[in-house]
Amino acid sequence: MEYQKKRVAVLRKEHFNAAHRLHNPEWNAEDNARIFGKCNNPNFHGHNYDLIVRLSGEVDPKTGYVFDMKILSDLIKENVLDRFDHKNLNLDVEEFKELNPSAENIAIVIYDILREKISHDYDLKITLFETERNYVEYPI
């Protein structure tokens, strides 16, 4: 019997806590407060982020895997969680020194970090929950 190639998505969910402040240094205090509200707190604020990393690709007929989930877990831990968890994103994470750490930008940064580590044979999508009801996906 000939094996037919099938594409499947595998997803890994992780969690991290981080503080940030949404602020545009080109705007005055009033504009920052009006646009970002509580998220512009000069003393920062925190979120309990849920991260879902989705890889899709062909199932390997030898292993039955799309991607080894232990390897994916290790990649996320080493490249994302160790860098972002219990950090102040504005102050502690190099990518956000000049980039506003909105959920959208955090998802893009995570995507770019992991995209360098994962073969382009796999489609990669990042879903980031900033709150239980607010989340972003990249790419769309």
Side-chain angles (χ1 to χ4, degrees):
M1 180 162 119
E2 186 177 318
Y3 179 81
Q4 290 185 326
K5 293 184 178 185
K6 304 285 185 181
R7 291 185 60 81
V8 175
V10 295
L11 295 87
R12 175 74 185 182
K13 184 176 181 184
E14 295 287 355
H15 180 84
F16 65 94
N17 303 307
H20 71 157
R21 178 187 189 204
L22 299 182
H23 182 80
N24 185 332
E26 296 177 9
W27 297 345
N28 62 36
E30 294 78 24
D31 287 342
N32 271 291
R34 182 175 49 79
I35 298 295
F36 298 123
K38 293 180 194 177
C39 295
N40 185 242
N41 181 343
N43 294 316
F44 306 95
H45 68 283
H47 292 282
N48 300 311
Y49 293 96
D50 282 321
L51 169 66
I52 299 172
V53 176
R54 179 185 188 269
L55 289 181
S56 56
E58 294 179 357
V59 175
D60 181 328
K62 294 179 180 130
T63 63
Y65 293 166
V66 168
F67 195 91
D68 186 320
M69 295 300 278
K70 173 66 171 120
I71 293 171
L72 181 58
S73 174
D74 290 346
L75 283 171
I76 296 166
K77 182 185 180 319
E78 292 165 15
N79 295 284
V80 178
L81 302 183
D82 288 350
R83 289 168 75 168
F84 290 20
D85 190 34
H86 286 82
K87 299 289 173 33
N88 181 318
L89 299 177
N90 301 75
L91 303 177
D92 301 329
V93 179
E94 189 62 36
E95 289 85 354
F96 299 112
K97 297 289 185 192
E98 303 293 326
L99 181 65
N100 218 2
S102 63
E104 294 88 339
N105 283 334
I106 297 167
I108 292 168
V109 166
I110 291 170
Y111 174 92
D112 289 345
I113 289 168
L114 292 176
R115 183 76 281 175
E116 287 182 7
K117 307 290 183 185
I118 296 170
S119 166
H120 287 270
D121 292 342
Y122 304 97
D123 293 328
L124 171 64
K125 179 175 266 190
I126 301 300
T127 303
L128 181 69
F129 284 80
E130 188 172 63
T131 70
E132 189 175 293
R133 289 184 223 115
N134 296 334
Y135 62 97
V136 299
E137 293 183 331
Y138 181 78
I140 57 170

